[in-house]
Amino acid sequence: MSQSLVTNRKSFVLQIIPVMLCFFVMGFVDLVGTASNYVQKDLGLTDTQANLFPSLVFFWFLIFSVPTGMLMNRIGRKNTVLISLAVTAISLFIPAFGDSYTVMLVSFSLLGIGNAIMQTSLNPLVTNLISGDKLASTLTFGQFVKAIASFLAPILAAWGATTAFPTFGLGWRALFVIYAVISFLSISLLAATPIEEERPDKASGIGECIRLLRRPFILLCFLGIICHVGIDVGTNTTAPKIIMERLSLPLVEAGFATSIYFIFRTVGSFLGAFVLRVISPKVFFAISVVMMLAGIIILFVCQALVPIYVGIALIGFGNSNIFPIVFSQALLYAPTERNEASGLMIMGLFGGTVFPLAMGYAADAVGQAGAISVMALGVVYLLYYTLKIKTK
């Protein structure tokens, strides 16, 4: 092996590790479901009030996705990711100074803004390191790394709430400080990593993105992204509440349901990269949605802990590959307008705002069965979308 090849591989490893750490930080947004449950318990909030937190986080995707594309064209992808990491770190340090309703609203708002910027800029940054047939697998691995941070969040929160180890009065909020430290580490590593970027593409505006919704299939994809994210955030937030309502378990124990969801979502995203090589996206999508439907039915009818865990696991595994399939369908449908289609699909992540609010109102009205009903509507839509998926 030549010395230059060894040097190039070493250089690549030194570049990709900070980028993968950024994917880990991207997963911090999923702590919102766990944290909102603890805030609800501490402050005695209703489901509607508590579900405002995840709704706030994902609201900012509607506002910041397209402007972030314009910002990348001005200052570069790496610098844009660094800004997102800084905003994320600040948002995570804020709860160290208190957990009042206002403090947590500010924290979650900044977390949403930072994540919206990161979701839009980090994937394009990877294209400066990887190209060709290795890009998809690298992005899939990035999602796998992201999911690790997601399922660790409820475990760390429970540890902070119950450990004898000194947490300086933070309790479950120690989770925020731990993740804030990792965010600052990620900033340091990425800032010190040289990444050569090509000249940016011409930025798209809001008008170009919105006009794509006039095309029926793009509209179907946009609504599919909304449903996927709504089910994702909805399950993350509601799973512990279902267990507390039906089995009267404390939040520290019920919170493990969120980890179950993310563990199976992580496994699903890892396996999806291989399964999609041998079966068509339409068939795999149909199997995934049927699994989610089965999980929803189980959550409706079962009262025991193990079946509820099975239902949550089925939703997590089924929902793990919905986003990349819908996203790729949109890009394939509009090959000459991929920037606009990409921005529009990222805007669809604000489904994490719509669903939790609706689920909160429904849960306050009729219990957690109402929240499950809202998620069921999203699954039914995805069943319909399955029929519309384009095949080669």
Side-chain angles (χ1 to χ4, degrees), residues 22-58:
C22 292
F23 274 101
F24 188 82
V25 175
M26 186 191 290
F28 293 175
V29 71
D30 290 322
L31 65 79
V32 64
T34 296
S36 63
N37 287 325
Y38 279 97
V39 175
Q40 181 177 14
K41 177 186 174 184
D42 290 350
L43 303 182
L45 305 178
T46 65
D47 278 349
T48 301
Q49 291 172 320
N51 282 13
L52 179 62
F53 294 123
S55 294
L56 252 183
V57 167
F58 288 91

mmCIF file of all heavy atoms in Angstrom, residues 22-58:
data_model
loop_
_atom_site.group_PDB
_atom_site.id
_atom_site.type_symbol
_atom_site.label_atom_id
_atom_site.label_comp_id
_atom_site.label_asym_id
_atom_site.label_seq_id
_atom_site.Cartn_x
_atom_site.Cartn_y
_atom_site.Cartn_z
ATOM 1 N N CYS A 22 -21.262 15.151 14.802
ATOM 2 C CA CYS A 22 -22.341 16.114 14.533
ATOM 3 C C CYS A 22 -23.682 15.400 14.355
ATOM 4 O O CYS A 22 -24.733 15.894 14.794
ATOM 5 C CB CYS A 22 -22.024 16.941 13.291
ATOM 6 S SG CYS A 22 -20.643 18.078 13.473
ATOM 7 N N PHE A 23 -23.669 14.235 13.709
ATOM 8 C CA PHE A 23 -24.902 13.452 13.594
ATOM 9 C C PHE A 23 -25.395 13.027 14.981
ATOM 10 O O PHE A 23 -26.603 12.991 15.234
ATOM 11 C CB PHE A 23 -24.680 12.217 12.716
ATOM 12 C CG PHE A 23 -24.867 12.477 11.248
ATOM 13 C CD1 PHE A 23 -23.763 12.654 10.416
ATOM 14 C CD2 PHE A 23 -26.136 12.549 10.693
ATOM 15 C CE1 PHE A 23 -23.932 12.899 9.057
ATOM 16 C CE2 PHE A 23 -26.309 12.792 9.343
ATOM 17 C CZ PHE A 23 -25.200 12.967 8.520
ATOM 18 N N PHE A 24 -24.459 12.698 15.869
ATOM 19 C CA PHE A 24 -24.834 12.355 17.235
ATOM 20 C C PHE A 24 -25.531 13.543 17.902
ATOM 21 O O PHE A 24 -26.566 13.385 18.559
ATOM 22 C CB PHE A 24 -23.592 11.948 18.026
ATOM 23 C CG PHE A 24 -23.885 11.394 19.394
ATOM 24 C CD1 PHE A 24 -24.256 10.067 19.547
ATOM 25 C CD2 PHE A 24 -23.772 12.191 20.515
ATOM 26 C CE1 PHE A 24 -24.525 9.540 20.812
ATOM 27 C CE2 PHE A 24 -24.042 11.686 21.777
ATOM 28 C CZ PHE A 24 -24.413 10.361 21.933
ATOM 29 N N VAL A 25 -24.969 14.735 17.716
ATOM 30 C CA VAL A 25 -25.572 15.945 18.278
ATOM 31 C C VAL A 25 -26.944 16.205 17.651
ATOM 32 O O VAL A 25 -27.867 16.673 18.317
ATOM 33 C CB VAL A 25 -24.638 17.152 18.084
ATOM 34 C CG1 VAL A 25 -25.306 18.442 18.551
ATOM 35 C CG2 VAL A 25 -23.335 16.940 18.834
ATOM 36 N N MET A 26 -27.095 15.881 16.368
ATOM 37 C CA MET A 26 -28.387 16.051 15.708
ATOM 38 C C MET A 26 -29.477 15.257 16.432
ATOM 39 O O MET A 26 -30.639 15.678 16.494
ATOM 40 C CB MET A 26 -28.296 15.596 14.247
ATOM 41 C CG MET A 26 -29.565 15.872 13.433
ATOM 42 S SD MET A 26 -29.556 15.060 11.812
ATOM 43 C CE MET A 26 -28.306 15.999 10.959
ATOM 44 N N GLY A 27 -29.106 14.115 17.001
ATOM 45 C CA GLY A 27 -30.070 13.280 17.703
ATOM 46 C C GLY A 27 -30.539 13.861 19.025
ATOM 47 O O GLY A 27 -31.522 13.373 19.601
ATOM 48 N N PHE A 28 -29.886 14.928 19.511
ATOM 49 C CA PHE A 28 -30.281 15.513 20.790
ATOM 50 C C PHE A 28 -31.707 16.064 20.738
ATOM 51 O O PHE A 28 -32.355 16.215 21.769
ATOM 52 C CB PHE A 28 -29.312 16.631 21.192
ATOM 53 C CG PHE A 28 -27.916 16.158 21.518
ATOM 54 C CD1 PHE A 28 -26.914 17.071 21.801
ATOM 55 C CD2 PHE A 28 -27.595 14.803 21.523
ATOM 56 C CE1 PHE A 28 -25.625 16.641 22.105
ATOM 57 C CE2 PHE A 28 -26.309 14.364 21.822
ATOM 58 C CZ PHE A 28 -25.329 15.296 22.112
ATOM 59 N N VAL A 29 -32.186 16.396 19.531
ATOM 60 C CA VAL A 29 -33.528 16.966 19.430
ATOM 61 C C VAL A 29 -34.576 15.998 19.959
ATOM 62 O O VAL A 29 -35.640 16.416 20.440
ATOM 63 C CB VAL A 29 -33.835 17.357 17.962
ATOM 64 C CG1 VAL A 29 -34.034 16.117 17.089
ATOM 65 C CG2 VAL A 29 -35.057 18.266 17.886
ATOM 66 N N ASP A 30 -34.290 14.708 19.928
ATOM 67 C CA ASP A 30 -35.273 13.720 20.355
ATOM 68 C C ASP A 30 -35.402 13.612 21.866
ATOM 69 O O ASP A 30 -36.268 12.881 22.355
ATOM 70 C CB ASP A 30 -34.932 12.351 19.757
ATOM 71 C CG ASP A 30 -35.168 12.300 18.254
ATOM 72 O OD1 ASP A 30 -36.159 12.899 17.796
ATOM 73 O OD2 ASP A 30 -34.364 11.691 17.536
ATOM 74 N N LEU A 31 -34.569 14.339 22.612
ATOM 75 C CA LEU A 31 -34.746 14.357 24.064
ATOM 76 C C LEU A 31 -35.997 15.122 24.465
ATOM 77 O O LEU A 31 -36.435 15.073 25.618
ATOM 78 C CB LEU A 31 -33.523 14.950 24.769
ATOM 79 C CG LEU A 31 -33.151 16.428 24.563
ATOM 80 C CD1 LEU A 31 -33.992 17.384 25.380
ATOM 81 C CD2 LEU A 31 -31.679 16.637 24.919
ATOM 82 N N VAL A 32 -36.591 15.851 23.502
ATOM 83 C CA VAL A 32 -37.735 16.699 23.825
ATOM 84 C C VAL A 32 -38.902 15.887 24.371
ATOM 85 O O VAL A 32 -39.627 16.346 25.261
ATOM 86 C CB VAL A 32 -38.166 17.524 22.592
ATOM 87 C CG1 VAL A 32 -38.665 16.625 21.467
ATOM 88 C CG2 VAL A 32 -39.254 18.522 22.955
ATOM 89 N N GLY A 33 -39.114 14.666 23.850
ATOM 90 C CA GLY A 33 -40.213 13.846 24.351
ATOM 91 C C GLY A 33 -40.009 13.455 25.803
ATOM 92 O O GLY A 33 -40.914 13.604 26.639
ATOM 93 N N THR A 34 -38.805 12.984 26.119
ATOM 94 C CA THR A 34 -38.478 12.615 27.498
ATOM 95 C C THR A 34 -38.547 13.824 28.416
ATOM 96 O O THR A 34 -39.159 13.781 29.489
ATOM 97 C CB THR A 34 -37.073 11.994 27.553
ATOM 98 O OG1 THR A 34 -37.066 10.771 26.810
ATOM 99 C CG2 THR A 34 -36.642 11.726 28.982
ATOM 100 N N ALA A 35 -37.915 14.918 28.004
ATOM 101 C CA ALA A 35 -37.854 16.108 28.852
ATOM 102 C C ALA A 35 -39.244 16.695 29.108
ATOM 103 O O ALA A 35 -39.540 17.144 30.218
ATOM 104 C CB ALA A 35 -36.951 17.155 28.205
ATOM 105 N N SER A 36 -40.100 16.705 28.087
ATOM 106 C CA SER A 36 -41.434 17.285 28.269
ATOM 107 C C SER A 36 -42.237 16.503 29.302
ATOM 108 O O SER A 36 -43.030 17.086 30.057
ATOM 109 C CB SER A 36 -42.179 17.331 26.930
ATOM 110 O OG SER A 36 -42.400 16.033 26.415
ATOM 111 N N ASN A 37 -42.024 15.191 29.386
ATOM 112 C CA ASN A 37 -42.719 14.390 30.397
ATOM 113 C C ASN A 37 -42.248 14.736 31.804
ATOM 114 O O ASN A 37 -43.047 14.821 32.740
ATOM 115 C CB ASN A 37 -42.511 12.898 30.129
ATOM 116 C CG ASN A 37 -43.309 12.403 28.938
ATOM 117 O OD1 ASN A 37 -44.421 12.867 28.688
ATOM 118 N ND2 ASN A 37 -42.755 11.466 28.180
ATOM 119 N N TYR A 38 -40.935 14.946 31.974
ATOM 120 C CA TYR A 38 -40.421 15.336 33.287
ATOM 121 C C TYR A 38 -40.873 16.745 33.664
ATOM 122 O O TYR A 38 -41.215 17.000 34.828
ATOM 123 C CB TYR A 38 -38.885 15.261 33.291
ATOM 124 C CG TYR A 38 -38.356 13.868 33.494
ATOM 125 C CD1 TYR A 38 -37.974 13.078 32.418
ATOM 126 C CD2 TYR A 38 -38.236 13.318 34.766
ATOM 127 C CE1 TYR A 38 -37.484 11.783 32.596
ATOM 128 C CE2 TYR A 38 -37.746 12.032 34.965
ATOM 129 C CZ TYR A 38 -37.381 11.269 33.873
ATOM 130 O OH TYR A 38 -36.905 9.996 34.058
ATOM 131 N N VAL A 39 -40.876 17.671 32.698
ATOM 132 C CA VAL A 39 -41.352 19.027 32.982
ATOM 133 C C VAL A 39 -42.837 18.995 33.353
ATOM 134 O O VAL A 39 -43.281 19.695 34.276
ATOM 135 C CB VAL A 39 -41.129 19.952 31.761
ATOM 136 C CG1 VAL A 39 -41.733 21.330 32.022
ATOM 137 C CG2 VAL A 39 -39.637 20.097 31.472
ATOM 138 N N GLN A 40 -43.609 18.176 32.651
ATOM 139 C CA GLN A 40 -45.030 18.055 32.958
ATOM 140 C C GLN A 40 -45.233 17.586 34.398
ATOM 141 O O GLN A 40 -46.087 18.111 35.118
ATOM 142 C CB GLN A 40 -45.699 17.079 31.990
ATOM 143 C CG GLN A 40 -47.200 16.903 32.235
ATOM 144 C CD GLN A 40 -47.847 15.979 31.214
ATOM 145 O OE1 GLN A 40 -47.158 15.270 30.476
ATOM 146 N NE2 GLN A 40 -49.163 15.980 31.155
ATOM 147 N N LYS A 41 -44.420 16.604 34.803
ATOM 148 C CA LYS A 41 -44.530 16.099 36.170
ATOM 149 C C LYS A 41 -44.108 17.157 37.188
ATOM 150 O O LYS A 41 -44.794 17.372 38.199
ATOM 151 C CB LYS A 41 -43.648 14.855 36.311
ATOM 152 C CG LYS A 41 -43.617 14.283 37.724
ATOM 153 C CD LYS A 41 -42.620 13.143 37.817
ATOM 154 C CE LYS A 41 -42.478 12.660 39.275
ATOM 155 N NZ LYS A 41 -41.447 11.604 39.407
ATOM 156 N N ASP A 42 -42.993 17.852 36.945
ATOM 157 C CA ASP A 42 -42.473 18.835 37.896
ATOM 158 C C ASP A 42 -43.408 20.034 38.059
ATOM 159 O O ASP A 42 -43.565 20.560 39.165
ATOM 160 C CB ASP A 42 -41.094 19.333 37.445
ATOM 161 C CG ASP A 42 -40.013 18.268 37.577
ATOM 162 O OD1 ASP A 42 -40.297 17.215 38.193
ATOM 163 O OD2 ASP A 42 -38.909 18.471 37.041
ATOM 164 N N LEU A 43 -44.022 20.472 36.965
ATOM 165 C CA LEU A 43 -44.824 21.697 36.986
ATOM 166 C C LEU A 43 -46.329 21.434 37.017
ATOM 167 O O LEU A 43 -47.111 22.384 37.061
ATOM 168 C CB LEU A 43 -44.481 22.570 35.770
ATOM 169 C CG LEU A 43 -43.006 22.983 35.617
ATOM 170 C CD1 LEU A 43 -42.819 23.874 34.404
ATOM 171 C CD2 LEU A 43 -42.514 23.683 36.881
ATOM 172 N N GLY A 44 -46.740 20.159 36.973
ATOM 173 C CA GLY A 44 -48.157 19.835 37.010
ATOM 174 C C GLY A 44 -48.910 20.330 35.785
ATOM 175 O O GLY A 44 -50.019 20.873 35.904
ATOM 176 N N LEU A 45 -48.346 20.137 34.605
ATOM 177 C CA LEU A 45 -48.943 20.645 33.369
ATOM 178 C C LEU A 45 -49.968 19.649 32.814
ATOM 179 O O LEU A 45 -49.911 18.455 33.082
ATOM 180 C CB LEU A 45 -47.858 20.888 32.320
ATOM 181 C CG LEU A 45 -46.691 21.798 32.717
ATOM 182 C CD1 LEU A 45 -45.684 21.876 31.576
ATOM 183 C CD2 LEU A 45 -47.188 23.189 33.090
ATOM 184 N N THR A 46 -50.897 20.157 32.009
ATOM 185 C CA THR A 46 -51.795 19.291 31.255
ATOM 186 C C THR A 46 -51.049 18.730 30.044
ATOM 187 O O THR A 46 -49.956 19.204 29.693
ATOM 188 C CB THR A 46 -53.031 20.061 30.766
ATOM 189 O OG1 THR A 46 -52.606 21.061 29.814
ATOM 190 C CG2 THR A 46 -53.754 20.741 31.925
ATOM 191 N N ASP A 47 -51.631 17.724 29.385
ATOM 192 C CA ASP A 47 -51.010 17.174 28.182
ATOM 193 C C ASP A 47 -50.885 18.235 27.099
ATOM 194 O O ASP A 47 -49.900 18.286 26.356
ATOM 195 C CB ASP A 47 -51.836 15.994 27.655
ATOM 196 C CG ASP A 47 -51.528 14.693 28.388
ATOM 197 O OD1 ASP A 47 -50.535 14.680 29.151
ATOM 198 O OD2 ASP A 47 -52.263 13.717 28.211
ATOM 199 N N THR A 48 -51.892 19.097 26.990
ATOM 200 C CA THR A 48 -51.841 20.153 25.979
ATOM 201 C C THR A 48 -50.674 21.092 26.233
ATOM 202 O O THR A 48 -49.931 21.454 25.310
ATOM 203 C CB THR A 48 -53.160 20.950 25.970
ATOM 204 O OG1 THR A 48 -54.248 20.059 25.692
ATOM 205 C CG2 THR A 48 -53.123 22.052 24.919
ATOM 206 N N GLN A 49 -50.479 21.493 27.492
ATOM 207 C CA GLN A 49 -49.371 22.394 27.827
ATOM 208 C C GLN A 49 -48.029 21.712 27.613
ATOM 209 O O GLN A 49 -47.094 22.315 27.067
ATOM 210 C CB GLN A 49 -49.505 22.840 29.285
ATOM 211 C CG GLN A 49 -50.680 23.766 29.551
ATOM 212 C CD GLN A 49 -50.882 24.022 31.030
ATOM 213 O OE1 GLN A 49 -50.747 23.116 31.862
ATOM 214 N NE2 GLN A 49 -51.201 25.258 31.387
ATOM 215 N N ALA A 50 -47.918 20.442 28.025
ATOM 216 C CA ALA A 50 -46.643 19.728 27.888
ATOM 217 C C ALA A 50 -46.293 19.474 26.431
ATOM 218 O O ALA A 50 -45.123 19.551 26.039
ATOM 219 C CB ALA A 50 -46.704 18.405 28.656
ATOM 220 N N ASN A 51 -47.284 19.187 25.622
ATOM 221 C CA ASN A 51 -47.018 18.881 24.218
ATOM 222 C C ASN A 51 -46.668 20.124 23.399
ATOM 223 O O ASN A 51 -46.277 20.005 22.234
ATOM 224 C CB ASN A 51 -48.222 18.183 23.591
ATOM 225 C CG ASN A 51 -48.292 16.724 23.980
ATOM 226 O OD1 ASN A 51 -47.605 16.282 24.883
ATOM 227 N ND2 ASN A 51 -49.124 15.954 23.303
ATOM 228 N N LEU A 52 -46.780 21.291 24.027
ATOM 229 C CA LEU A 52 -46.323 22.502 23.349
ATOM 230 C C LEU A 52 -44.814 22.474 23.152
ATOM 231 O O LEU A 52 -44.303 23.046 22.184
ATOM 232 C CB LEU A 52 -46.728 23.748 24.157
ATOM 233 C CG LEU A 52 -46.303 25.105 23.577
ATOM 234 C CD1 LEU A 52 -46.943 25.322 22.207
ATOM 235 C CD2 LEU A 52 -46.697 26.236 24.531
ATOM 236 N N PHE A 53 -44.087 21.776 24.042
ATOM 237 C CA PHE A 53 -42.625 21.737 23.929
ATOM 238 C C PHE A 53 -42.160 21.073 22.629
ATOM 239 O O PHE A 53 -41.403 21.685 21.865
ATOM 240 C CB PHE A 53 -42.018 21.041 25.143
ATOM 241 C CG PHE A 53 -42.208 21.794 26.430
ATOM 242 C CD1 PHE A 53 -42.833 21.203 27.511
ATOM 243 C CD2 PHE A 53 -41.776 23.101 26.568
ATOM 244 C CE1 PHE A 53 -43.018 21.887 28.704
ATOM 245 C CE2 PHE A 53 -41.953 23.808 27.749
ATOM 246 C CZ PHE A 53 -42.578 23.192 28.825
ATOM 247 N N PRO A 54 -42.551 19.822 22.338
ATOM 248 C CA PRO A 54 -42.151 19.253 21.045
ATOM 249 C C PRO A 54 -42.717 20.009 19.864
ATOM 250 O O PRO A 54 -42.089 20.084 18.809
ATOM 251 C CB PRO A 54 -42.684 17.810 21.103
ATOM 252 C CG PRO A 54 -43.723 17.807 22.169
ATOM 253 C CD PRO A 54 -43.291 18.835 23.168
ATOM 254 N N SER A 55 -43.887 20.605 20.036
ATOM 255 C CA SER A 55 -44.463 21.386 18.941
ATOM 256 C C SER A 55 -43.590 22.598 18.623
ATOM 257 O O SER A 55 -43.367 22.933 17.459
ATOM 258 C CB SER A 55 -45.879 21.846 19.304
ATOM 259 O OG SER A 55 -46.754 20.748 19.422
ATOM 260 N N LEU A 56 -43.074 23.242 19.672
ATOM 261 C CA LEU A 56 -42.198 24.398 19.470
ATOM 262 C C LEU A 56 -40.923 23.999 18.753
ATOM 263 O O LEU A 56 -40.457 24.699 17.854
ATOM 264 C CB LEU A 56 -41.842 25.019 20.832
ATOM 265 C CG LEU A 56 -42.473 26.352 21.204
ATOM 266 C CD1 LEU A 56 -41.926 26.822 22.536
ATOM 267 C CD2 LEU A 56 -42.235 27.398 20.133
ATOM 268 N N VAL A 57 -40.347 22.869 19.166
ATOM 269 C CA VAL A 57 -39.092 22.423 18.566
ATOM 270 C C VAL A 57 -39.234 22.282 17.057
ATOM 271 O O VAL A 57 -38.401 22.778 16.285
ATOM 272 C CB VAL A 57 -38.647 21.083 19.195
ATOM 273 C CG1 VAL A 57 -37.531 20.455 18.367
ATOM 274 C CG2 VAL A 57 -38.173 21.292 20.627
ATOM 275 N N PHE A 58 -40.292 21.626 16.611
ATOM 276 C CA PHE A 58 -40.418 21.318 15.187
ATOM 277 C C PHE A 58 -41.088 22.427 14.386
ATOM 278 O O PHE A 58 -41.066 22.395 13.156
ATOM 279 C CB PHE A 58 -41.148 19.984 15.009
ATOM 280 C CG PHE A 58 -40.303 18.815 15.402
ATOM 281 C CD1 PHE A 58 -40.322 18.317 16.699
ATOM 282 C CD2 PHE A 58 -39.440 18.233 14.490
ATOM 283 C CE1 PHE A 58 -39.516 17.259 17.074
ATOM 284 C CE2 PHE A 58 -38.630 17.171 14.847
ATOM 285 C CZ PHE A 58 -38.669 16.686 16.140
#
